[in-house]
């Protein structure tokens, strides 16, 4: 069983890849996508995160749940660098926010591109912090939605798959704007493992939540 180790302010999170098995994830998370990259090559994704504002003196609903409270990110980047390892090439993931470089994860290049897991974990943590909901429930609902998604490969060129994990959720009435959370995954069927863009948004207007990662040329 394969694992991706994701480091965050709350510590180590182990995400099992088989939990994401489905027609869409089997395509965009196929193993070995990054094995052809030369040593010391760097794959760059831009990262932008906008968060809803809170009234003065009001704490974030998830402040007492132990979920790491998110920060807004403007003009950030996520880097995946190929490095040699004892068992073969390794991919070292770091994120750059302002003048800070922070470690995220290290994993075998023989596995899938982990950018989807990294992005979705960010969305889970943001939703849990903003709503006070259980990150386990949010994460499992998103996994189930991914497992049931099937891309339409009848066309050519880049394709975007849009998911609304909580639109029919029995707890939607308590989620506020987050009940309408939309997650868009864009990839090229000719190279589906190298996801070109990931975007999530909840709510409308300048105070809404949005998070975007875009593959840089």
């Amino acid at each position: 069983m394969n694992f991706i180790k994701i480091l965050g302010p709350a510590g180590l999170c182990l995400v099992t890849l088989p939990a994401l098995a489905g027609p869409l994830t089997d395509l965009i998370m196929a193993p070995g996508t990054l094995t052809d990259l030369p040593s010391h090559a760097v794959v760059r994704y831009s990262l932008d995160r906008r968060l809803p504002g809170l009234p003065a003196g009001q704490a974030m609903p998830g402040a007492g749940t132990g979920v790491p409270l998110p920060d807004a990110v403007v003009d950030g980047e996520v880097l995946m660098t190929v490095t040699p390892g004892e068992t073969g090439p390794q991919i070292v993931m770091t994120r750059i926010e302002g003048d800070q470089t922070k470690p995220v994860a290290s994993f075998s290049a023989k596995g899938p591109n982990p950018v989807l897991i990294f992005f979705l974990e960010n969305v889970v943590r943001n939703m849990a912090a903003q709503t006070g909901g259980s990150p386990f429930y949010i994460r499992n609902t998103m996994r189930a939605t991914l497992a049931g998604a099937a891309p339409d490969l009848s066309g050519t060129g880049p394709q975007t798959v849009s998911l609304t994990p909580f639109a029919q959720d029995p707890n939607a009435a308590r989620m506020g704007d987050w009940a309408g959370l939309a997650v868009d995954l864009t990839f090229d069927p000719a190279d589906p493992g190298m996801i070109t863009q990931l975007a999530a948004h909840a709510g409308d207007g300048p105070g809404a939540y949005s998070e975007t990662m875009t593959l840089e040329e």
Side-chain angles (χ1 to χ4, degrees), residues 3-151:
F3 293 92
I4 291 177
K5 299 179 179 180
I6 297 180
L7 295 171
L12 183 66
C13 175
L14 295 181
V15 181
T16 56
L17 299 183
L20 289 176
L24 174 62
T25 50
D26 284 351
L27 183 67
I28 62 178
M29 295 191 70
T33 302
L34 307 176
T35 54
D36 292 335
L37 293 176
S39 183
H40 304 297
V42 180
V43 178
R44 295 175 177 266
Y45 282 87
S46 64
L47 173 62
D48 183 274
R49 181 188 302 135
R50 309 299 170 95
L51 301 175
L54 288 172
Q58 180 176 325
M60 199 170 291
T65 64
V67 177
L69 300 181
D71 295 317
V73 178
V74 179
D75 297 329
E77 282 189 308
V78 174
L79 311 183
M80 296 191 295
T81 304
V82 182
T83 62
E86 293 182 0
T87 59
Q90 301 292 303
I91 304 296
V92 177
M93 179 185 282
T94 55
R95 53 192 173 104
I96 300 175
E97 299 174 9
D99 60 355
Q100 294 185 320
T101 299
K102 305 175 182 180
V104 177
S106 180
F107 53 94
S108 172
K110 297 177 182 178
N113 183 346
V115 70
L116 175 62
I117 298 293
F118 172 78
F119 180 82
L120 292 180
E121 188 64 19
N122 281 342
V123 177
V124 168
R125 292 180 177 184
N126 277 278
M127 183 172 178
Q130 295 284 338
T131 64
S134 164
F136 303 101
Y137 181 84
I138 295 168
R139 187 179 295 115
N140 288 338
T141 300
M142 294 182 70
R143 283 178 175 174
T145 303
L146 277 166

Side-chain angles (χ1 to χ4, degrees), residues 108-207:
S108 172
K110 297 177 182 178
N113 183 346
V115 70
L116 175 62
I117 298 293
F118 172 78
F119 180 82
L120 292 180
E121 188 64 19
N122 281 342
V123 177
V124 168
R125 292 180 177 184
N126 277 278
M127 183 172 178
Q130 295 284 338
T131 64
S134 164
F136 303 101
Y137 181 84
I138 295 168
R139 187 179 295 115
N140 288 338
T141 300
M142 294 182 70
R143 283 178 175 174
T145 303
L146 277 166
D152 178 6
L153 301 179
S154 59
T156 59
Q159 178 180 161
T160 298
V161 176
S162 297
L163 308 173
T164 51
F166 302 96
Q168 305 299 322
D169 193 281
N171 298 299
R174 295 186 288 173
M175 296 179 180
D177 288 342
W178 286 89
L181 173 69
V183 179
D184 298 329
L185 295 75
T186 302
F187 63 95
D188 186 343
D191 188 14
M194 194 62 74
I195 300 169
T196 56
Q197 187 175 69
L198 293 159
H201 66 272
D204 298 309

